[in-house]
Amino acid sequence: MEASFFQRHPIFKDAINICIFIICVLIGTLIINTYVFRSFSVEGPSMEKTLYTSDRLIINRLPVTWAQLQNKPYMPERGQIIVFKNPHYSAGVSSDEYIVKRVIAFAGERVVISDGHYIVYNDQSPNGFNPDDANHGEPGSPTSGQADQIVPDGELFVSGDHRQGNFSLDSRNGRSGLGTIPLYDVIGPVSLRIFPFDKIRGF
């Protein structure tokens, strides 16, 4: 019985198997990055002293994927640290395609900066509340700048944790800066810092 081509040329069989393996790895990586989790490296001082430049984060994509399967916008929790696509990003012009900030307020809520901190007004708290009271003292103080605005429908008000001066370009900067963030630009909440190894922690 005559040997098959691959029996006579096993190197070709091995090469095909390697190519199939590489393709499967690439497809698996794409699926994981799209639907399960992504990694993100922090750049800049805007989230100090919670996060620092070169911190490596894991972004949980599962709640975003689940919301998309239900044909709903993903809604993070107040106080969560999220990564989102810069709505003003332009290739070759802006350097930051993805940005990390903390969620302060939701659509329909009024955000005011008063006495160096945020106050959020909504139907449940008509007298206002400080959204950082539940953030374990992580955001720095005082909060510089001015703000008095209603968050538009389908958007989020976000802020860095380094709020003195101009260290954080965030929703305080209004239309001249970052402004509020569309829900569809949210990549997901930060779930874990994996680097530096001596500062691994969950969020």
Side-chain angles (χ1 to χ4, degrees):
M1 183 177 180
E2 186 178 352
S4 68
F5 175 82
F6 289 117
Q7 288 176 326
R8 289 183 282 111
H9 305 282
I11 189 171
F12 289 105
K13 182 179 180 180
D14 292 340
I16 291 174
N17 287 336
I18 291 173
C19 289
I20 292 174
F21 174 77
I22 292 174
I23 291 171
C24 289
V25 169
L26 291 175
I27 292 174
T29 300
L30 179 62
I31 291 173
I32 289 173
N33 283 340
T34 302
Y35 300 110
V36 183
F37 68 83
R38 293 179 66 172
S39 64
F40 174 81
S41 185
V42 178
E43 293 183 15
S46 72
M47 285 299 294
E48 296 176 356
K49 300 179 177 178
T50 308
L51 301 170
Y52 292 85
T53 294
S54 298
D55 280 5
R56 197 72 185 176
L57 310 176
I58 296 297
I59 313 306
N60 184 7
R61 289 283 296 161
L62 287 175
V64 180
T65 299
W66 178 242
Q68 291 173 341
L69 289 174
Q70 300 177 84
N71 199 29
K72 298 178 181 179
Y74 165 67
M75 186 68 67
E77 298 177 9
R78 193 187 315 274
Q80 273 189 321
I81 298 173
I82 61 171
V83 170
F84 54 89
K85 187 169 183 177
N86 183 352
H88 306 295
Y89 174 75
S90 179
V93 178
S94 304
S95 58
D96 298 323
E97 183 175 4
Y98 298 99
I99 298 175
V100 57
K101 302 290 179 187
R102 189 182 295 272
V103 177
I104 299 297
F106 304 102
E109 296 183 329
R110 179 187 175 200
V111 183
V112 176
I113 294 178
S114 177
D115 297 326
H117 59 266
Y118 288 116
I119 300 292
V120 174
Y121 300 87
N122 57 25
D123 292 341
Q124 294 73 38
S125 300
N127 295 322
F129 66 95
N130 185 342
D132 289 322
D133 285 344
N135 292 336
H136 313 293
E138 289 182 333
S141 62
T143 298
S144 301
Q146 297 179 340
D148 188 346
Q149 69 177 100
I150 305 295
V151 182
D153 288 342
E155 301 193 1
L156 299 169
F157 188 105
V158 298
S159 176
D161 280 3
H162 194 173
R163 299 174 181 172
Q164 292 177 295
N166 298 317
F167 286 103
S168 177
L169 179 70
D170 51 42
S171 296
R172 289 174 295 170
N173 308 111
R175 296 187 180 278
S176 63
L178 187 61
T180 49
I181 304 303
L183 290 172
Y184 56 75
D185 279 334
V186 177
I187 303 301
V190 175
S191 63
L192 187 68
R193 175 169 57 200
I194 60 173
F195 183 85
F197 298 125
D198 61 339
K199 294 183 179 178
I200 292 175
R201 60 162 288 191
F203 292 90

